[in-house]
Amino acid sequence: MSVISTKTTCPYCGVGCGVIASMHENGRVEVQGDPDHPANFGRLCSKGAALGETVHLGERLLYPEINGEQVSWEQAYSAVATKFSDVIKQHGPDAVAFYVSGQLLTEDYYVANKLMKGFIGSANIDTNSRLCMSSVVAAYKRALGEDVVPCNYDDLERAQLIVLAGTNTAWCHPVLYQRIAQSKETNPNVKIVCIDPRRTQTSDISDLHLSVRPGTDAILFNGLLVWLETAGELDQQFVNVSTEGVEQALESARQSSPDIHRVAQACGLSDEDVERFYRLFARTERVVTVFSQGVNQSSSGVDKINSIINCHLLTGRIGRKGMGPFSFTGQPNAMGGREVGGLANQLAAHMELDNEAHRDCVAEFWQTSTLATKAGLKAIDCFDEIEKKNIKAIWIMATNPVVSMPDADRVKAALEGCEFVVVSDCVRNTDTSRLADVCLPATTWGERDGTVTNSERRISRQRPFLTAPGLAKHDWQIITELAQKMGFKKAFPYRSTADIFDEFARLSGYKKDEQRQFDISGLADMTLHEYKEMQPIQWPVVNRHNQADASIMYGDGLFSTPDRRARFIAITPKPPAASVSEKFPFILNTGRVRDQWHTMTRTGMSPRLSTHRIEPFVEIHPDDAKRLNIVDGKLAQISSETDAEIFVRVRVTDRQQRGSLFVPMHWNLQFSGQARVSSLIKTVVDPISGQPEFKHAVANIKSCDARWYGFIISRKKPVLKYSRYWARSRGKGFWRYEIAGKESPEDWAVHARTLLNVEAGEEWAEFYDKADGHYRAARFIDGHLDSVIFIDSSILLPPRDWLISLFQKDSVSASERASLLQGLPPAEVEDVGKIICACFNVGDKTICKAITEQGASNVAAVGELCQAGTNCGSCRPEIKELISECVVSS
Ligand code: SF4
């Protein structure tokens, strides 16, 4: 059987792993890590490894639609171009907006930005990257003069100390976590300090976990700045020659963080731990400080990041190998978006809208007289203006703001009230596309062709190996054709992404001033073949035929500011915007889980990824749970200042600080009844970057007293009624629902048949104990199991894994049928427990058995006995955790 292999890039996180996709004759897609890609050297995490499961067409948007009716591209273009042109004519260019995404490829991003800023004449284009890294952009710009990540992934292997601030790297950037963990294993002298209120899988490998009081990061780093200076642990030469503003920064830092004791008190830490961190930082030359959403998503995120950069400037630990302040980017092409000016306040190629010379340069290059002259609306402001009806038409590309934006119910209402909503996406039913007037089918990973930039400034190709299905088109193609329809044919002549990339590369070098580092002009004038074959390369690229080492930026001590000196920024730490109160006594934190990506529109398609966390949940400390009579495994209702409420499963864990809750960000209305955590996040933004504070809402939690609990496993989706709570996940050939409710049907025996649409004559077996509230039923079609429903008055329902295994069988034996309604697997069948290793479907019970009965004392030994952790490695931190737990309890 012939197999065609294509080298491409993973479409999920900002690590930007190289992937080899192998297409088999029967259409099966197999995915492996690319051993030659410098981001991952062959590694992949669970999400990357499961990419092959997400390329099927089941959920795809395949045809343009107007008001839910399939139309031709001509009709769709005509509707969008006419409406946008009419609104612009009547209300001006600022009455329209684009809301785009870090999922777009650089070429898509570039043309969207060019159309809005260059030819519509408004800067009302912003991106969902505003929600995850706009504070980083602002902080790097303030300190370094430009949005330049000065580090490289191999700095993680060269560093002797890695400080991980506000990042659960093990789950959010798993391949970089693996590189860090490997480095520590190879060299035990490498130290890791983790700064995070939660005890996470990342903090488990740290030598020192600083479980700071939420929101106190800047106090901690200001304290470090003061301590370094007082102890004489600074690089005076570097400070004198290459920086400005140290005195002001120290002065502010002394105010907030005069000594270790006061820092420790403010941060909720012990004096000893703070001192240990400060000494480690001071005495270690090669220090990398990694930061991510835990720092960025804050109402003072820019300041927090600058407080980190200040410490690297004071010690001169920037611009050299194995050191520097390193932002890990969330999305696959958030960096590419930053490069093409995808944020409302930027121009392309790291030029600025508020800089007249830059505006002239871009206008001249694009040959336009209508270039926007002022910054546009940032994401939050944009949806506010939609709500006020000042924005009358919006085009949302490859993102799902009804799930991801703060105060998500308000965003939903704003879009419902908007005159004209266009959504281009690869998925047909998202919470946002349901509100669209026009839906435009876009290609997705495996079909798209272009480039992305990862967190270390490395540009990689995404290459197609599948043909576009239905009438789907590439985003750049849709934007280009729409621009042509709107009358901008000459400026949008592109026939391929190679054309666009070439133009962008040329712009990056056009009349470039000396200090601007972003430059890929060396990649201009490539032949189509060269573009197609382009190997991963880090910018700047001035001469591709003689590429200089671009791994480290600012090695010459000359920064991107006009005087070429970096800036210390004086930081006065600010508390988070919301304070707990009697009504809302908990701090609500949000974030990712290991095996889901964003709003689940793609990872939710993968049965393998759906086994790790099957439901939305809240984590709460045991003491809080006990006090509030909240029980592990039952349900909780969480409310907040937004007046929204969600229902989620309870996980009681001492990984959570007392007084804090954690809820994952992923669940949407397609996968759960009411669990969009963003609906609970009151809109508060960093005043400089406009990035929302997702890590510090205030909330209340109470037990949700369901009168019954249950689950359904069915090949067809059931029609739910009476379920106050539901969450669904995808299995191989079936859907799994966890359900619960307060209201009960009069008779489960009648209701279950309606719910599963059981027809007369179908084989239907059931058991009903009405008095105790136990109901179980199963439908068999042609000998195989088609659906089961289990209802109980308590959460003590049978394990699902054995039942799920019956769905894989062609026929179910008599003994299995008998066991089925008892809810117990036959004696010879092992209950594997909760799935930990998604690659090999290994559960916690199997792993614990390997530890306690077979003597596995480390992750490798567990892997040898039961395969867990031997493929992508994403579950290794959890296996480690199980080893500690099992050893303690045995
Ligand atoms: Fe994809 Fe995982 Fe690599 Fe991120 S770490 S790019 S999700 S394989």
Side-chain angles (χ1 to χ4, degrees):
M1 191 159 62
S2 78
V3 179
I4 300 170
S5 294
T6 307
K7 283 196 173 196
T8 180
T9 312
C10 174
Y12 295 125
C13 81
V15 180
C17 294
V19 161
I20 301 176
S22 300
M23 177 84 182
H24 293 252
E25 246 174 37
N26 61 3
R28 191 164 63 87
V29 174
E30 230 174 10
V31 165
Q32 289 168 310
D34 178 353
D36 300 324
H37 197 289
N40 56 317
F41 297 108
R43 299 175 180 94
L44 286 180
C45 76
S46 47
K47 293 185 284 287
L51 272 166
E53 291 183 12
T54 65
V55 295
H56 60 81
L57 301 180
E59 314 284 325
R60 289 294 295 274
L61 174 65
L62 296 173
Y63 306 97
E65 291 180 3
I66 298 179
N67 298 324
E69 297 292 326
Q70 188 180 322
V71 296
S72 67
W73 271 109
E74 196 48 41
Q75 289 166 303
Y77 281 149
S78 174
V80 178
T82 306
K83 185 67 189 183
F84 267 69
S85 300
D86 286 353
V87 170
I88 293 165
K89 208 161 150 195
Q90 233 185 315
H91 304 281
D94 289 334
V96 298
F98 293 169
Y99 184 56
V100 302
S101 160
Q103 309 290 315
L104 292 179
L105 305 186
T106 298
E107 292 79 357
D108 305 322
Y109 242 133
Y110 177 82
V111 284
N113 191 48
K114 181 176 177 182
L115 174 58
M116 182 53 89
K117 290 190 184 134
F119 291 85
I120 288 177
S122 166
N124 282 348
I125 171 168
D126 211 39
T127 157
N128 62 6
S129 301
R130 176 73 61 192
L131 313 182
C132 63
M133 55 81 225
S134 52
S135 289
V136 179
V137 176
Y140 277 143
K141 270 159 70 169
R142 284 206 301 186
L144 313 178
E146 187 178 345
D147 173 24
V148 173
V149 179
C151 307
N152 201 53
Y153 291 161
D154 65 16
D155 288 327
L156 300 169
E157 280 126 8
R158 292 173 198 268
Q160 299 154 312
L161 169 65
I162 300 171
V163 182
L164 299 163
T167 161
N168 184 6
T169 317
W171 279 17
C172 303
H173 298 95
V175 164
L176 294 182
Y177 168 84
Q178 287 175 31
R179 288 181 69 163
I180 293 169
Q182 174 78 52
S183 169
K184 188 164 170 56
E185 215 170 290
T186 317
N187 180 1
N189 291 329
V190 168
K191 298 281 182 246
I192 296 176
V193 175
C194 182
I195 302 167
D196 195 322
R198 301 165 67 211
R199 191 157 55 82
T200 64
Q201 289 67 24
T202 308
S203 66
D204 288 349
I205 59 157
S206 64
D207 298 276
L208 176 62
H209 173 212
L210 299 177
S211 175
V212 288
R213 187 167 288 138
T216 56
D217 318 63
I219 297 175
L220 184 69
F221 281 97
N222 263 2
L224 175 59
L225 193 77
V226 173
W227 195 88
L228 290 167
E229 198 266 343
T230 312
E233 302 277 2
L234 70 168
D235 184 339
Q236 196 66 61
Q237 163 90 354
F238 178 83
V239 171
N240 290 347
V241 175
S242 297
T243 71
E244 278 289 327
V246 67
E247 276 314 322
Q248 295 88 322
L250 279 165
E251 189 48 42
S252 290
R254 285 188 201 106
Q255 300 288 323
S256 72
S257 314
D259 55 50
I260 281 179
H261 182 62
R262 270 176 281 185
V263 169
Q265 274 194 323
C267 298
L269 300 168
S270 71
D271 290 12
E272 293 71 30
D273 279 353
V274 173
E275 185 170 350
R276 200 171 149 216
F277 168 45
Y278 288 1
R279 283 191 187 282
L280 263 175
F281 195 103
R283 307 279 153 82
T284 314
E285 181 59 9
R286 294 202 301 273
V287 182
V288 171
T289 306
V290 173
F291 48 92
S292 191
Q293 319 310 5
V295 172
N296 308 347
Q297 289 181 328
S298 155
S299 54
S300 58
V302 183
D303 281 353
K304 286 179 180 174
I305 298 162
N306 280 118
S307 73
I308 293 171
I309 299 174
N310 281 347
C311 297
H312 279 269
L313 293 178
L314 192 74
T315 48
R317 292 183 188 146
I318 188 166
R320 288 185 286 144
K321 292 203 181 287
M323 59 188 78
F326 200 167
S327 145
F328 282 0
T329 316
Q331 296 195 76
N333 201 29
M335 290 286 277
R338 282 147 78 163
E339 290 152 15
V340 301
L343 293 163
N345 47 325
Q346 296 178 323
L347 276 175
H350 281 196
M351 285 184 269
E352 301 298 331
L353 258 170
D354 58 6
N355 180 321
E356 197 180 345
H358 287 175
R359 287 201 306 271
D360 289 347
C361 171
V362 175
E364 188 178 295
F365 185 85
W366 282 347
Q367 296 188 14
T368 179
S369 57
T370 49
L371 190 86
T373 51
K374 61 177 190 340
L377 296 167
K378 295 179 182 132
I380 300 295
D381 305 326
C382 176
F383 284 93
D384 282 352
E385 291 306 306
I386 293 171
E387 187 181 37
K388 291 180 198 154
K389 311 228 181 286
N390 293 329
I391 299 275
K392 299 181 188 298
I394 181 159
W395 182 356
I396 298 166
M397 303 179 201
T399 185
N400 197 1
V402 170
V403 184
S404 53
M405 287 283 287
D407 213 345
D409 286 347
R410 223 177 106 205
V411 167
K412 183 167 179 265
L415 285 175
E416 280 165 348
C418 184
E419 246 181 74
F420 193 62
V421 177
V422 181
V423 170
S424 43
D425 208 306
C426 58
V427 176
R428 183 161 193 270
N429 275 320
T430 72
D431 293 14
T432 303
S433 68
R434 288 177 164 219
L435 310 179
D437 298 280
V438 179
C439 287
L440 306 174
T443 51
T444 185
W445 184 81
E447 300 149 13
R448 302 200 294 181
D449 187 7
T451 55
V452 289
T453 309
N454 72 3
S455 298
E456 57 167 359
R457 290 173 282 103
R458 194 177 299 280
I459 301 169
S460 298
R461 290 276 285 114
Q462 268 199 22
R463 297 185 176 90
F465 55 90
L466 297 165
T467 46
L471 294 184
K473 292 189 184 205
H474 306 302
D475 287 284
W476 68 266
Q477 223 175 348
I478 302 172
I479 300 158
T480 295
E481 289 170 4
L482 221 291
Q484 292 174 351
K485 275 265 170 229
M486 291 176 78
F488 310 120
K489 203 163 185 166
K490 198 164 155 239
F492 291 82
Y494 316 112
R495 291 153 306 154
S496 69
T497 48
D499 290 347
I500 301 166
F501 188 83
D502 182 64
E503 180 180 310
F504 176 44
R506 283 187 291 110
L507 171 60
S508 74
Y510 188 68
K511 295 190 172 177
K512 191 178 84 66
D513 33 47
E514 192 198 10
Q515 69 261 31
R516 183 151 44 94
Q517 302 294 310
F518 180 75
D519 188 343
I520 56 167
S521 58
L523 295 171
D525 300 321
M526 285 192 283
T527 62
L528 189 59
H529 178 75
E530 281 177 310
Y531 173 75
K532 281 184 188 291
E533 295 301 313
M534 188 167 82
Q535 297 304 304
I537 188 165
Q538 275 176 302
W539 60 257
V541 189
V542 180
N543 178 354
R544 70 175 177 279
H545 304 294
N546 186 19
Q547 167 71 340
D549 177 11
S551 59
I552 295 297
M553 300 297 286
Y554 304 124
D556 54 5
L558 296 174
F559 292 87
S560 305
T561 52
D563 62 8
R564 310 304 303 271
R565 286 163 175 257
R567 299 285 189 270
F568 282 92
I569 305 295
I571 301 300
T572 303
K574 292 171 205 71
S579 310
V580 290
S581 61
E582 209 177 309
K583 193 168 175 201
F584 298 111
F586 284 89
I587 294 165
L588 171 64
N589 184 5
T590 65
R592 299 183 193 283
V593 299
R594 193 191 77 189
D595 286 359
Q596 292 296 342
W597 175 254
H598 276 198
T599 62
M600 296 172 74
T601 50
R602 283 181 301 168
T603 43
M605 291 181 191
S606 160
R608 198 187 330 172
L609 296 178
S610 301
T611 56
H612 179 243
R613 293 283 184 270
I614 54 155
E615 292 177 274
F617 61 87
V618 58
E619 287 185 352
I620 182 169
H621 189 277
D623 293 350
D624 290 328
K626 194 171 170 200
R627 188 167 48 80
L628 297 170
N629 205 18
I630 288 172
V631 178
D632 190 56
K634 285 197 168 183
L635 299 170
Q637 178 178 349
I638 308 174
S639 56
S640 81
E641 293 177 302
T642 62
D643 289 338
E645 46 186 35
I646 62 168
F647 296 88
V648 287
R649 189 72 63 179
V650 173
R651 294 170 72 97
V652 176
T653 167
D654 63 4
R655 288 181 168 273
Q656 202 58 34
Q657 282 187 1
R658 286 176 193 81
S660 288
L661 307 172
F662 174 82
V663 178
M665 60 183 267
H666 309 288
W667 271 267
N668 59 35
L669 291 172
Q670 317 306 313
F671 284 90
S672 61
Q674 204 173 328
R676 286 175 310 141
V677 71
S678 291
S679 67
L680 298 179
I681 308 294
K682 195 174 164 197
T683 304
V684 181
V685 298
D686 181 290
I688 302 164
S689 68
Q691 178 156 355
E693 183 150 70
F694 279 104
K695 300 291 183 188
H696 200 287
V698 290
N700 200 1
I701 181 168
K702 62 180 186 182
S703 177
C704 169
D705 300 320
R707 282 181 44 209
W708 57 266
Y709 298 84
F711 66 86
I712 297 167
I713 308 169
S714 173
R715 296 188 192 275
K716 286 188 220 89
K717 287 180 190 166
V719 184
L720 295 180
K721 212 177 154 191
Y722 298 108
S723 297
R724 185 72 193 87
Y725 169 86
W726 65 265
R728 78 169 185 213
S729 57
R730 186 189 284 271
K732 271 189 190 149
F734 60 85
W735 288 97
R736 171 177 167 178
Y737 285 72
E738 296 293 324
I739 52 178
K742 261 185 176 176
E743 311 275 304
S744 301
E746 212 164 286
D747 188 338
W748 273 107
V750 175
H751 180 60
R753 285 169 180 267
T754 316
L755 200 142
L756 287 164
N757 197 17
V758 179
E759 289 178 13
E762 285 185 326
E763 193 183 351
W764 180 249
E766 62 187 337
F767 163 85
Y768 198 2
D769 177 345
K770 224 172 182 175
D772 279 351
H774 306 314
Y775 179 78
R776 300 164 200 161
R779 170 167 50 189
F780 300 90
I781 295 179
D782 298 332
H784 70 243
L785 187 56
D786 178 80
S787 34
V788 295
I789 174 168
F790 280 69
I791 302 294
D792 208 299
S793 53
S794 81
I795 53 171
L796 296 175
L797 287 150
R800 286 45 155 185
D801 292 285
W802 172 69
L803 287 167
I804 284 171
S805 72
L806 297 181
F807 278 76
Q808 311 306 327
K809 297 191 167 188
D810 290 337
S811 66
V812 179
S813 69
S815 74
E816 284 168 336
R817 283 177 187 230
S819 298
L820 196 154
L821 288 191
Q822 286 169 14
L824 289 173
E828 68 277 10
V829 175
E830 189 188 349
D831 173 15
V832 299
K834 188 174 61 121
I835 297 300
I836 300 292
C837 171
C839 295
F840 294 114
N841 221 26
V842 189
D844 58 353
K845 288 191 179 160
T846 307
I847 295 171
C848 286
K849 211 164 143 191
I851 299 162
T852 53
E853 294 178 22
Q854 295 167 281
S857 59
N858 56 44
V859 176
V862 169
E864 269 173 38
L865 288 166
C866 63
Q867 282 190 294
T870 56
N871 187 36
C872 75
S874 294
C875 62
R876 282 182 207 143
E878 282 152 291
I879 297 173
K880 224 171 158 188
E881 191 185 336
L882 282 173
I883 292 170
S884 325
E885 281 173 14
C886 293
V887 169
V888 169
S889 61
S890 61

